[in-house]
Amino acid sequence: MGEDNRVTRVLKRRIGESGPIRVSEFMEIALSDPEGGYYATRDPFGVAGDFTTAPEISQVFGELLGLWCADSWQAMGAPDRFALVEFGPGRGTLMADTLRAMAVAPACRAAAEIHLVETSPVLRGMQERTLAGVPVTWHTGTPETGDLPLLCLANEFLDALPVEQYVRNGGAWFERRVDHDRDAGTFRFVTGPAADGLGLPEAHDIPDGEIFERAPAVEAVVAAIAGRIARCGGAALFVDYGYTGRAIGETLQAVLAHQPVDTLADPGNCDLTAHVNFRAVRATAEAAGAGCHGTVDQGVFLERLGIRARAQTLLRSATPEQQRDISAAVTRLIGPAEMGTLLKVLAISHPGIDRLAGFEPAS
């Protein structure tokens, strides 16, 4: 752990002042500190970074989402103005590919007002270059867009939001916190106060030491989007690493140079994520008045949108080397041993929309 790391100094000072901190606070500082946070200070994508997302793997991903947007716009009643909002837009690649594909429906493209939700000045600069010439409004949180209907895209955004953790001990739940061991010079997990009255899972088969994760930040974002869509119309698409089953077990992880590392070892210099509880996302959206579609595996979703047909079109005009790259990218996006089953897709919509592309008809 680098002692001169700004994030490390901030965390040590915070712990020294108030004692062990929540896991969510550790994540928030490590990822979003304005001067030293992971996302505030670097481009984390690609071979030279720490991870690679679907838009950086193949243009086909963004193009299919652009067609999804055009189809969803039709399902919304083809409004003459709507806000197209992307949360966590990375380098701007997904939005660029999305807008190019939306051009097949000129009225839809003309109706779209582009909004990007980004806190990183480094990534915002990259987005400005990628989307040069496109009118864009940037935000640091869920944008206020008046009464405009919304189309929202969030690819690998929710999993970067902070989570709280609770640990089972003696048949009861206690908050898990992060402390600093001055002798060892390292951060460590410790057991915090009892988590009474929080409605955490209670079952006789939950052993001591088991971890339960809750993501209030995810619920807040989803509730804000769903509430706006329920009032003003529209739809939102969430694509992320996640699960729909029993929410017991730790998913918080750290990645550096595409390899897993100790979660607490190097805050500020590695990516921290936690898998998304899509059952909780769905419940939050429905409680806010929105309809839900899915959850489905990313591979199933992209197959239904026509990824194989789009790839075949690209292959016909590609060189042999390009053909190998296209085929490898498609396999990575939809393969059951790769991103095809690891990532899940959930859409929410105005309750008056009963069909969205890529999902089975709502029951």
Side-chain angles (χ1 to χ4, degrees), residues 165-174 176 189 191 205-213 248-251:
Q165 288 190 330
Y166 301 88
V167 60
R168 192 77 165 173
N169 188 5
W173 289 106
F174 294 82
R176 198 185 198 198
F189 289 113
T191 300
D205 61 344
I206 301 176
D208 281 0
E210 193 62 86
I211 302 295
F212 176 78
E213 294 174 338
I248 298 293
E250 182 175 20
T251 71

Side-chain angles (χ1 to χ4, degrees), residues 140-202:
T140 57
T142 304
E144 290 295 334
T145 53
D147 294 330
L148 284 182
L150 302 180
L151 273 178
C152 300
L153 301 175
N155 180 63
E156 293 193 43
F157 170 73
L158 297 179
D159 71 346
L161 297 180
V163 298
E164 297 173 354
Q165 288 190 330
Y166 301 88
V167 60
R168 192 77 165 173
N169 188 5
W173 289 106
F174 294 82
E175 188 172 355
R176 198 185 198 198
R177 295 200 171 186
V178 178
D179 197 6
H180 182 254
D181 185 333
R182 293 182 180 180
D183 294 333
T186 57
F187 295 104
R188 62 185 179 184
F189 289 113
V190 295
T191 300
D196 297 330
L198 294 182
L200 302 185
E202 293 296 345

Side-chain angles (χ1 to χ4, degrees), residues 22 31 41 73 75 77 81 87 124 129 156 162 180 194 202-203 232 239 244-245 250 275 282 312 317 347:
R22 289 181 165 180
L31 295 176
T41 56
W73 172 75
R81 287 178 61 227
F87 290 80
R124 176 170 170 171
R129 293 189 290 274
E156 293 193 43
H180 182 254
E202 293 296 345
C232 304
V239 184
T244 58
E250 182 175 20
H275 287 192
R282 185 182 185 104
Q312 286 299 318
S317 58

Side-chain angles (χ1 to χ4, degrees), residues 28-304:
E28 179 70 25
I29 294 171
L31 295 176
S32 302
D33 179 84
E35 296 182 35
Y38 178 78
Y39 285 115
T41 56
R42 74 202 67 214
D43 169 19
F45 300 98
V47 175
D50 297 316
F51 57 87
T52 302
T53 58
E56 304 297 334
I57 292 171
S58 173
Q59 69 184 67
V60 174
F61 182 82
E63 290 172 348
L64 291 176
L65 264 58
L67 298 178
W68 182 88
C69 286
D71 187 78
S72 299
W73 172 75
Q74 290 283 358
M76 293 159 54
D80 57 7
R81 287 178 61 227
F82 70 94
L84 178 59
V85 184
E86 185 181 356
F87 290 80
R91 294 170 170 171
T93 306
L94 174 58
M95 182 56 72
D97 293 340
T98 294
L99 294 176
R100 185 175 62 253
M102 283 173 60
V104 301
C108 175
R109 175 64 188 88
E113 297 182 4
I114 314 304
H115 298 262
L116 300 182
V117 179
E118 181 59 71
T119 60
S120 166
V122 174
L123 292 177
R124 176 170 170 171
M126 301 185 76
Q127 294 154 19
E128 289 175 338
R129 293 189 290 274
T130 301
L131 297 167
V134 177
V136 175
T137 303
W138 275 268
H139 309 264
T140 57
T142 304
E144 290 295 334
T145 53
D147 294 330
L148 284 182
L150 302 180
L151 273 178
C152 300
L153 301 175
N155 180 63
E156 293 193 43
F157 170 73
L158 297 179
D159 71 346
L161 297 180
V163 298
E164 297 173 354
Q165 288 190 330
Y166 301 88
V167 60
R168 192 77 165 173
N169 188 5
W173 289 106
F174 294 82
E175 188 172 355
R176 198 185 198 198
R177 295 200 171 186
V178 178
D179 197 6
H180 182 254
D181 185 333
R182 293 182 180 180
D183 294 333
T186 57
F187 295 104
R188 62 185 179 184
F189 289 113
V190 295
T191 300
D196 297 330
L198 294 182
L200 302 185
E202 293 296 345
H204 296 299
D205 61 344
I206 301 176
D208 281 0
E210 193 62 86
I211 302 295
F212 176 78
E213 294 174 338
R214 171 179 282 174
V218 169
E219 294 171 9
V221 169
V222 172
I225 296 171
R228 191 84 57 80
I229 285 173
R231 293 192 306 272
C232 304
L237 189 71
F238 299 97
V239 184
D240 232 313
Y241 291 95
Y243 56 93
T244 58
R246 193 182 190 204
I248 298 293
E250 182 175 20
T251 71
L252 178 63
Q253 61 183 348
V255 174
L256 180 65
H258 299 268
Q259 297 297 320
V261 295
D262 185 284
T263 307
L264 304 181
D266 199 6
N269 286 327
C270 55
D271 185 33
L272 291 173
T273 62
H275 287 192
V276 177
N277 180 345
F278 276 101
R279 181 181 294 179
V281 170
R282 185 182 185 104
T284 299
E286 290 176 340
C292 290
H293 310 257
T295 305
V296 300
D297 289 345
Q298 176 175 284
V300 171
F301 179 72
L302 295 178
E303 291 258 26
R304 290 174 178 173

